[in-house]
Amino acid sequence: MSEEEAPDSRVCIGVSFGNSYSSIAYTAADGKTEVIANEDGDRQIPSILSYVSGEEFNGNQAKAQLVRNPENTVVCFRDFLGREFKDIDPTPCHTSAHPISQDSTIAFNICDDDSGNAHPVSISTITTRHLARLKASASDYLGRNVTHAVLTVPTNFTPAQQEALKACAAEAKISILHFIHEPISSLLAYDARSPDTASPSDKNVVVVDIGATRSDVTVVASRGGIYTILATQHDYDTAGTQLDSVLIDHFAKAFLQKHKTSTDPRTTPRSLAKMKLECENVKKHLSLSTSATFSVESLVSGLDFTLTINRSRYELLASKHFQALGRLVLAGVTKAGLDPLDVSEIVMAGGSSHTPRIASAIAALFPEETRVFSPATDNNAVNPSEAAARGAAIQASLIAEFEEKDIEESVHAVVTSTPHLEATVGLVGAGDSFLPVVLKDTPVPVRKTVTVAAPKDGGDVLVRIAEGERAIDVTVAEKVEKKTNGAKTDDEDSDEASESDDEPEEIRKVVWKATKPVAEAGVAGVKKGGKVEVQISVHADLTVHVQIREVGGKGGVRGTVEASS
Amino acid sequence: MPHTFTLPSLPEGWSADKNFKAIGSLSKPSQRIIEPVGPHFLAHARRKRHKRTFSEDERIQAQNNVKKTEDDDEGDISEPEDPVMLQRDAKDWKGQDHYAVLGLSKYRWRATEEQVRKAHRKKVLKHHPDKKAAAGGSEDDSFFKCIQKATEILLDPTKRRQWDSVDEAADVEPPTKKETQKGNFYRLWGRVFDAEGRFSRNQPVPKLGDENSTKPEVEDFYNFWYTFDSWRTFEYQDEDVPDDNENRDQKRHVERKNANARKKKKTEDTARLRHLVDDALALDERIKKFKQAEHAQRNKKRLEREAEEKRVAEEAVKAKEAAARAAVEKAEAEKAGKAETKKAKEAAKNAAKKNKRVVRGAVKEANYFAGAGDAPAKQVEAVLNEVDLIITKIDNEELAGLKAKLDGKTKAEEIKGIFAEEVKRLVGAGTLKEGEAKVLA
Ligand SMILES: Nc1ncnc2c1ncn2[C@@H]1O[C@H](COP(=O)(O)OP(=O)(O)OP(=O)(O)O)[C@@H](O)[C@H]1O
Ligand SMILES: [Mg+2]
């Protein structure tokens, strides 16, 4: 690249480029990350381009064109990039410019100039233009020319898709330093704020990204701040668009009830487009308040329509989708070989994760200890619409100083492909209890230290190191009589109560047990009430080094366990 | 995590070189890609790349053998599409095979939700009306609608159960008796029960097993099936309820009819399953085997018990007989003994009589010691009195001795001498008093 700038003059932003919305963010030198609003003041910028007599509109302005100018409005194109026509699902473009096949790639037949004639505009051109608009917005805001970006992509983006995206960015004069996975980016946005950034605790996290046209579940093992994706699930049939449809159907039916002889607004493209925009607004409102009003002037044949819906009604109408999302999350957990009890955090990302009921329905599938980060379940939650962009900006600030060659090498499999422990390593205590020390799915090399109690009276102590296994202990809870304190519960509540009463509640608990002995060590003469520190180092070749000493004592025991050949 | 984890004391006799011994090794790791994101990854990368450059070979090598987390879109969910099916009208969605529409015929109720989602996606990519239009075909989206309908049903757990309940293509007909008897019982019936098991509320469903299954396993299996809790419903076959508000009576009538039909079908299904289990049970060789074994076991016990009883009885009889014999013998012996003594006594008596006679005869022989001529009566009497006195004073033995001395003696002198000697002995022994037998002295 001839015009590559020296690292220190780079301006590197984080970009989340979704099928439906894009966001741009920047992490300043002081470490603060900010999501940048475009010239319309939007931080969630619709990934839409629209052309009116040669004039280009982007973002919400383009979105508004869906009513009057759908055929020259391009939506939902990111996932088409780098693919062939036969491999794409054109459904989301149903009410706007349709994708067509062109030279083994995809194009949209639109009129983007003042000629008045439609002609194919390639997906690359569209993408380049959109990215250029994002770049311009960021540069305007920052007052400096944005040169580089870290871009987020779905976990199932193919190398071909990345290549195509990179080429478009280059066209838009953005040099992509790094593609990072959307869910990992969202997770990074959270972890960067957590107080233990220096030595993060080990955890399994499920990132639930519910957008407009897709929902993605990613199960991540986070070990010492290093992330490994264990499993993913993708659903293209349950996301924001389907929730919009629930409301569209609801209001259309209500409209038809009121205007019995009117045509169904869903059958007229322009009416449908109006409904779509308004229903999305209503839906967003319902995330914040318990009721929202649908109001469209001249919905169909000059008839205005206004109607208020309350949140519980909406939740009831959409409950089938909420349940489907719950199952999607569980399927991911199962696929990762985990149980809900193994999940310590759920990070809710994507615009639809604002929906309170989605967050609570997912939370209900996990134990109480599992933290669910969403606006509805956690006061300090990161805005789910912004999480991916924030993470990308943080990553951008981390690597902005690196030579591109170094970055390229670091993200290559020679560096990222790593052996991971297949079993948890820990200590076997009195009564054959097991204390996990290095968790399954931890990349090696790794070193962990624990301090454990010696027997009350001290003396010579046995330290046993073993592989262990997590089992789930299921007991049926004694039925606790529900207090009927005379307070009338409303219908809905009592319904739920009787449903959950149907089956006795199971109490599920994690129990660890040793499965395979690895080593034994003796520590002599530990003082009364003493403690023993055990350090386990697992090397890349699975050799184990153990170092044991009494806390405050002298000497200690060391030993090596060779890897099996 | 246990909040009170404590190390154990070192057991008696534990020893190791330098107090450490390796016992095993860690399980084989799995190769995965770590995400090149975040500050901690940078540290990792720095360590890994420290002062080295990777060869092209290493770079290629590193990309292989990595555990995949994204599945290829081309899964195992592809099957040829029946041209007749492609002509289907979505209006007739009730009659369509939803699994076949999505290309999941060989999975049916076994298909996971993920498989359904992927299959749907694949079909959408292929059959979206825009694709047909692009290929110069008609804008006919009839089959596309079939796909959407199939997906709607299969991704809705309630609707899917209703459909699965009546998905005849998933049914496995029970084998005939003849087929079963060809030794295929476990394979053929196993498939039947696997298929029926899809309706079970309780999962997992126990397996039929094989000839090596234990009796409790087999018993559990049949118990499970005789107390089967099925979610099977027959709503799917409902007659359409008119949804216009005018015809309320008609609507209620159809609803009632549907409710009855469902109930009837459910009852029939329960009966069908019961029969099916009965049939399997009747043909299950293991049941016979267990019965026979049980029978043999019980027989064995009975025979043993009977043998024992017989032995005891026989012994008792023998003992009784022996006792009786002993008693008889004893009695006989006693009798014999008595007779003997009696005889001996009698003999002794007779002998004594004889001896007395001889003794008395001897004095007669000696003419009562009167010399020649008739002995005076007084003399006779006195002699006989004294002889009798001696006889009463001596026992049979002494009597026999006396008789022996007298035997063959005819001379009065001799005889008198013998008596005199006897009297003298008796007087000497104190049996006779001096002067009690003066005639014979
Ligand atoms: N406050 C809100 N409450 C409910 N839904 C919301 C809210 N804000 C945004 N959404 C919905 O979130 C969806 C957009 O999600 P997101 O911004 O993650 O888009 P995206 O990643 O570009 O989507 P995709 O790629 O899935 O099409 C839209 O359906 C939008 O209506
Ligand atoms: Mg998204």
Side-chain angles (χ1 to χ4, degrees), chain A residues 217-392:
Chain A
V217 172
T218 312
V219 183
V220 185
S222 171
R223 304 284 186 265
I226 292 187
Y227 308 120
T228 305
I229 294 180
L230 299 179
T232 62
Q233 289 279 297
H234 310 289
D235 187 338
Y236 303 89
D237 298 297
T238 316
T241 306
Q242 282 70 29
L243 300 176
D244 295 342
S245 292
V246 162
L247 290 171
I248 292 171
D249 289 343
H250 171 74
F251 290 115
K253 280 180 191 157
F255 174 82
L256 288 172
Q257 207 138 61
K258 190 168 173 202
H259 305 283
K260 292 222 161 67
T261 53
S262 169
T263 44
D264 187 334
R266 290 169 293 186
T267 57
T268 321
R270 187 181 279 215
S271 308
L272 179 60
K274 285 183 181 172
M275 288 201 85
K276 273 192 171 170
L277 292 179
E278 182 63 1
C279 284
E280 189 180 350
N281 283 331
V282 169
K283 179 187 72 175
K284 288 182 184 175
H285 259 104
L286 287 172
S287 294
L288 277 179
S289 31
T290 51
S291 75
T293 302
F294 172 100
S295 179
V296 174
E297 276 176 32
S298 179
L299 178 54
V300 75
S301 30
L303 292 166
D304 299 347
F305 188 60
T306 302
L307 185 68
T308 300
I309 183 169
N310 63 25
R311 190 192 277 172
S312 47
R313 184 70 193 272
Y314 164 61
E315 287 172 347
L316 203 64
L317 293 169
S319 73
K320 158 182 134 175
H321 295 306
F322 299 161
Q323 283 166 19
L325 289 169
R327 293 197 304 276
L328 188 74
V329 172
L330 286 184
V333 171
T334 307
K335 197 171 175 188
L338 301 182
D339 184 274
L341 286 176
D342 299 323
V343 176
S344 10
E345 287 177 9
I346 296 174
V347 167
M348 302 286 295
S352 300
S353 287
H354 281 284
T355 314
R357 195 51 174 259
I358 292 182
S360 61
I362 289 172
L365 303 171
F366 290 82
E368 229 156 276
E369 299 74 48
T370 305
R371 297 190 62 186
V372 179
F373 295 116
S374 83
T377 50
D378 192 290
N379 289 335
N380 294 318
V382 173
N383 180 344
S385 299
E386 298 179 349
R390 285 179 175 276

Side-chain angles (χ1 to χ4, degrees), chain A residues 306-544:
Chain A
T306 302
L307 185 68
T308 300
I309 183 169
N310 63 25
R311 190 192 277 172
S312 47
R313 184 70 193 272
Y314 164 61
E315 287 172 347
L316 203 64
L317 293 169
S319 73
K320 158 182 134 175
H321 295 306
F322 299 161
Q323 283 166 19
L325 289 169
R327 293 197 304 276
L328 188 74
V329 172
L330 286 184
V333 171
T334 307
K335 197 171 175 188
L338 301 182
D339 184 274
L341 286 176
D342 299 323
V343 176
S344 10
E345 287 177 9
I346 296 174
V347 167
M348 302 286 295
S352 300
S353 287
H354 281 284
T355 314
R357 195 51 174 259
I358 292 182
S360 61
I362 289 172
L365 303 171
F366 290 82
E368 229 156 276
E369 299 74 48
T370 305
R371 297 190 62 186
V372 179
F373 295 116
S374 83
T377 50
D378 192 290
N379 289 335
N380 294 318
V382 173
N383 180 344
S385 299
E386 298 179 349
R390 285 179 175 276
I394 293 165
Q395 178 70 7
S397 74
L398 288 174
I399 61 170
E401 308 303 315
F402 288 73
E403 298 294 335
E404 281 182 44
K405 200 180 107 290
D406 285 346
I407 297 171
E408 191 274 332
E409 183 136 279
S410 293
V411 306
H412 190 276
V414 271
V415 172
T416 59
S417 172
T418 311
H420 286 62
L421 292 186
E422 270 292 272
T424 296
V425 182
L427 302 181
V428 187
D432 282 338
S433 57
F434 182 83
L435 178 72
V437 178
V438 193
L439 294 182
K440 179 181 186 297
D441 300 321
T442 296
V444 288
V446 62
R447 179 158 67 210
K448 289 271 165 185
T449 308
V450 278
T451 303
V452 287
K456 253 209 321 283
D457 298 329
D460 297 349
V461 171
L462 175 67
V463 179
R464 278 191 285 167
I465 293 156
E467 284 188 342
E469 193 178 67
R470 181 275 287 135
I472 306 280
D473 189 34
V474 182
T475 46
V476 176
E478 291 285 316
K479 250 211 176 138
V480 189
E481 278 298 322
K482 271 230 172 102
K483 279 221 174 71
T484 42
N485 48 10
K488 268 258 183 254
T489 52
D490 67 33
D491 267 353
E492 226 175 57
D493 273 7
S494 56
D495 254 19
E496 258 167 55
S498 64
E499 234 167 80
S500 57
D501 269 1
D502 262 351
E503 271 165 46
E505 203 197 335
E506 280 183 346
I507 299 178
R508 306 174 76 253
K509 218 174 70 202
V510 164
V511 277
W512 285 94
K513 58 170 191 287
T515 49
K516 183 179 167 192
V518 174
E520 282 182 6
V523 184
V526 176
K527 65 174 182 289
K528 229 172 147 164
K531 287 193 181 331
V532 174
E533 185 188 87
V534 183
Q535 185 180 76
I536 301 175
S537 313
V538 184
H539 296 248
D541 66 353
L542 281 232
T543 306
V544 186

